[in-house]
Amino acid sequence: MAGNWLRRRRGLGGNGGLGRNSGLRGVSAAQAPGRELHDRNKEQHTFNARAAISMVLVAAAFLVLFGRMVQLQVFEADAYRARSDNNRVQTVAVAPRRGLIYDRNGQLLAGNRTIHSIAVVTELASNIDALLEEVGALVPLGEADVAGFHKRLKAKRRPLEPIPLKLNINEQERATVRVNEFRLPGVQVRADIVRHYPEPLQMTHAIGSVRRIDETDLERLDEARYAATAFIGRHGVEQFYEDSLHGEPGHRRVETDARGRQVRTLFEQPARAGADITLHLDASLQRAAADALGDRRGAVVAIEPRTGGVLALLSQPGYDANLFVTGISAAQYHELKASRETPLFNRATRGLYAPGSTFKPVMGLAGVSHGVTTWEDTVNDRGSFRINGQGRVYRDWSWQPGNSGGQGIVNLHRAIYRSSNVYFYSLGSELNIDDLASFAGQFGYGRNTTVDIAFAQAGVLPSRDWKRGALNEAWYPGDTVNLAIGQGFLLATPLQLAAVTATIANRGHPVRPRLLLSSDGEVRENDPPPPLPAVAGPTPEDWERMVDAMEAVVHRGNKGYQQNGTAWFYIGQDDIPYRMAGKSGTAQVVGIPQGEEYDEEALDEFERKHAWFIAFAPADDPRIALSVLVENGGGGSSVAAPVARAVLDSYLLDEAGDLKELPPHWLAAGAATGSAGAGGRPPRRSVTLKQRPTSEGQQFAQRIADAPVTAR
Amino acid sequence: MSDFSRTASVDATASTRRKRRRIRTDGWLLAGLALVSCFGLVVMYSASGRDMGAVVDQATKLGLGFLALIVLAHLQPELFRRWTPAVYGASVLLLVWVLFDGATVKGSQRWIDWPGLPRFQPSEAMKVAVPLGLAWLIGRHTLPPRFRDVAVALPIIGVPALLVALQPDLGTAVVIAAGGLGVIFLAGVRWRWIAAAVPAALAALPGLWFVMTDYQRGRVLTLFDPERDPQGAGWNIIQSKTAIGSGGFFGKGLGNGTQSQLDFLPERETDFIIAVIGEELGLLGVLVMVLLYLLVVARCLYMATEARDNFGRLFIGGFTIVFALSAFVNIAMVSGLLPVVGLPLPLVSMGGTSTLVVLGAFGVVMAIHGAGQQARVRPRG
């Protein structure tokens, strides 16, 4: 039945017009049976042979494929397996949390916060410009963002490192980008933990700040340690304690897909947070100093004389270090950089100024120690001085046109509280410069005695050798005369002057300025230089008499014309609940030609005199020593002294205006210092560096105790 | 073997059909194709990232393909011969159409996107139309073919191959041309002609370099040195070799291929699906795949020898060569033996037109072979 059906169908086909073609066996066979049959067999034979050859060729081809697979999957399998793992398994460094920085009362000075930013992994993006345009359509991109991005794009960086495009985006921008992330290959919204400074303007110069790691950093940094770190400490504590604050990175082995998305974590070694450190700094004191200075340019450095702990390190104007964390525009940066007020410059540690009359206490002690003068010797100050009575005229500060000035008969005590130039000119003309230089060097002039203050300048303490080396000139007697009133070649930083003041406050025991009080972890930068030796020369009595003279600068008043301390009129008139020793200084910025008048009005603001004041208090048991500099401020007593007074008051007085009780750690005299318990934070594990100031303080306390009781 | 088709009859007494009808499908071939397809579906499940939707989609296409196969297998072979010129002509016209009004995907214009119809690739149809056309041409006369027929055959091959190459789709063009040449070879063209043509073709091969676009040259250069642009042109081949190689002997297990599942492997559901097999099922999986293809090819070539006439033999043989070559070129390119050209792995890669055309063509193969069987079996029985 079926056969019939098929035959019929075939028959239909055969009659359909194609019948004369040789293909249909039935038709052609009927025409020429014998030959056709022969041909058919031959054809079949030929075809079969060719089909067989084809089969062999196909089999051979497939064998080649199989051989190739054997090559890839058996002989080279290990290499490809490794390659496949390299593809999928990425070791991602985990950034450690940067250590926090506290002040001595536990107030946070530098913390961390989360910001969100848009970043681009350029390796994953095909067309950067088109991508930026697309992102720009979603989130407004400023010119600065794009310019900064292109700058970072050109810089050397690690492979697959996301390049920040827009920092600190808000929640809505974040959502917009997140939603569109899938069609923007390479674009990421990143949550980064970045540094945050709660009080940037006042604190920046003390603690420094972090900056984005740049090309030059990459060249010297330990690549493994900084693999996940985007910022590095610059300036201040942030730089000095970078190593400890940074912490140890962890790592995560993650499986990632081809787009770099992390699919799952295979292994995680958590990062170890950086050490939290507590500084000697007192934020409220720093604030008080900033308030007292107002918007004037200048510096205030306060030191705890016992330990050298820096209580305040202010340089004004400051700047907002947070800008450098979240991205500063070129215009903003240029403004900071080009400003005549140089807000980026740390005056407190790097500004070199002539100390002016604040040098006189050191000068006086030098004279007494070297037997050039005594406390009783007097000089008749008529307002001017000539070496051997001839040549160049050196003037007293009180000189005015038409009035030669002068303080009359002055001994050392009076020369200090009246700040007689002529007395010290005379002293300078008799003192050997090398003796003076080596004496003053003991106080910290001309060298960097700091423990942990980044980039502190050493200043200039001139001597014969120094002058020959620096200027290739011989030392002239006039140089010593100039030096005697803190002018000429002598240069020091406000930090140095604070240290000098602390040395006087300690009656000849210099301390090294230091910022670190304690830490909750190991501080590797801990390699404190040895304690400084006591100043050799002055007797304890000399020290006390010098302190007396400095007290007179502030407290001697109501004595009539030319009888009051230089600063009394400005800060000493009301009752101060503590005794304060101070010395004013006014440093010339430009040389005034012989015979010409210093006319403040005629000078450019930036060429006016700098106002200095150094002070410590309470005078017989100093808790704080400081230096105040007001750049181009004018007179030290009128301008800088009130700032000093305000800072001392803030530190020493309570709200009622009475002298504060001594803090417990002070009374403990080194038994358990450093655990600044006032902040309400649990006591921190003490570290070795902290021990040093303690032991030094102990030694000092011991020395004080051992010293014969002298009249105070 | 020939008994197989006889025993595979349906007992229609229970059905409502009035007549007993012989199933004319070839059991061995059908089994081979079904195995390849099923294997493909299993791999598709993994390659699509365990997306059952993709699997069902591909299964539907395969189902339609097998339906077409069975329907076509029951048509009279004479019908195909009669319609061959029309089919060939229409396919060429579609190819021309594609060049002017085709949809462009990934830089080449291969698709026709007529409203109301699923999108399809005329070049896939050409893989059948060219063997059909040549079988029709050469099968009119006794074998071996005369010089005149061979001369006419060349443009029949060349025109569609050129049109496809212009899309550009070099892979398919090569397969089409090779399929056509395969028909001429099977027809028994004289060895000395072959001996003359092969060196000539080889000599012309370098000339091809100058005809190729920069993009195609890049592909060729990449074959020899994938590392010259690992993130760009070399990416595909590096990742596919890595996938295959890392699979080792036993593979990483279905669904566990990291290259495949984490998007390192490109085009894993389509052209590069063999790399998924290589990575997840290892050398063993590849071996099974290759053997299944060989089974289909061997069975088809055997069926070709059983065809009743020259048209039948030449078509079956020619299409088998197209099929074998498609598989070969695909696997060779994925494993880095040939430049990367867009060419699916027949019956395994995701794709509608290819699946439908290939299975349909196997239906034609079965129809032709079945008729031959009838003719052969009947006198005996």
Side-chain angles (χ1 to χ4, degrees), chain A residues 580-603:
Chain A
M580 163 179 171
K583 182 71 197 79
S584 59
T586 307
Q588 263 173 226
V589 176
V590 287
I592 304 296
Q594 284 276 300
E596 268 186 37
E597 179 189 358
Y598 172 83
D599 180 2
E600 197 168 282
E601 301 302 315
L603 281 172

Side-chain angles (χ1 to χ4, degrees), chain A residues 116-156:
Chain A
H116 291 87
S117 55
I118 304 174
V120 180
V121 180
T122 49
E123 283 89 341
L124 300 178
S126 43
N127 183 339
I128 303 281
D129 291 323
L131 189 71
L132 291 193
E133 211 156 282
E134 280 188 67
V135 175
L138 299 170
V139 173
L141 290 179
E143 250 173 67
D145 296 326
V146 178
F149 176 80
H150 280 293
K151 197 176 140 205
R152 290 188 198 116
L153 192 62
K154 280 189 213 104
K156 187 185 147 202

Side-chain angles (χ1 to χ4, degrees), chain B residues 7 303 343:
Chain B
T7 52
M303 285 163 76
L343 197 70

